[in-house]
Amino acid sequence: MDINNGMYELPSGKVAAVVTYLQMSAPPKMKNLPAPENLALVRYETPEVEWYLALFRRVGAEYLWASRLQMDQQKLAEHLAQNNVEVWAVERDATALGLLELEWTQENSCELSFFGLAPELIGAGVGRWLMQHAITRAFSREIQRFFLHTCTLDSAQALAFYRRSGFEPYKRGVEVMDDPRHTGDIDPKNAPQIPLL
């Protein structure tokens, strides 16, 4: 693909992000981190779509996560019920405040599909604890790689966090999408760091 250098104007209602793809081929050496006080990690084998979408919004609205919000709900329910998909929630007093979604693929890989915390949990070490669990679960099955992607719409700390966790970048791309605040999938008051145009 031939891409010319330069700036490209986006039409109103669109956003663009630089996407970085990362992977690891073996689990790194990790200290066994205890569960943070008053938090539990709970697996939902067949999560209800409404519950899942509420948590997805809680964790991802500030970063314009929209893919699951735009997915047909029946297809989403079928996806979440698959044996090769695991959904975990970080909970405090039975309130879900963090999301971990893993998906084992046919290529002997596991994708970290979604990983995030509600704002009140960020900066307290919960992410390291959740990532340790994610890596352990991913390699609990026979895989050749654990992979994910992050983008410039995510938290400014995300890329460095994934690299510290043992992931290495291997590819980059650009994603252009409809701004989910224009489509009504996310409240226009969210993501003030990304101007609504």
Side-chain angles (χ1 to χ4, degrees), residues 22 49 89 95 143:
L22 303 102
V49 169
T95 299
I143 61 170

Side-chain angles (χ1 to χ4, degrees), residues 111-123:
E111 180 177 6
L112 181 63
S113 302
F114 293 99
F115 180 96
L117 300 170
E120 55 264 46
L121 294 185
I122 293 173

Side-chain angles (χ1 to χ4, degrees), residues 154-176:
D154 283 333
S155 164
Q157 291 81 34
L159 182 56
F161 170 78
Y162 292 133
R163 294 190 76 179
R164 283 194 311 273
S165 298
F167 291 92
E168 292 294 331
Y170 69 94
K171 184 170 71 170
R172 191 169 25 234
V174 174
E175 179 182 16
V176 177

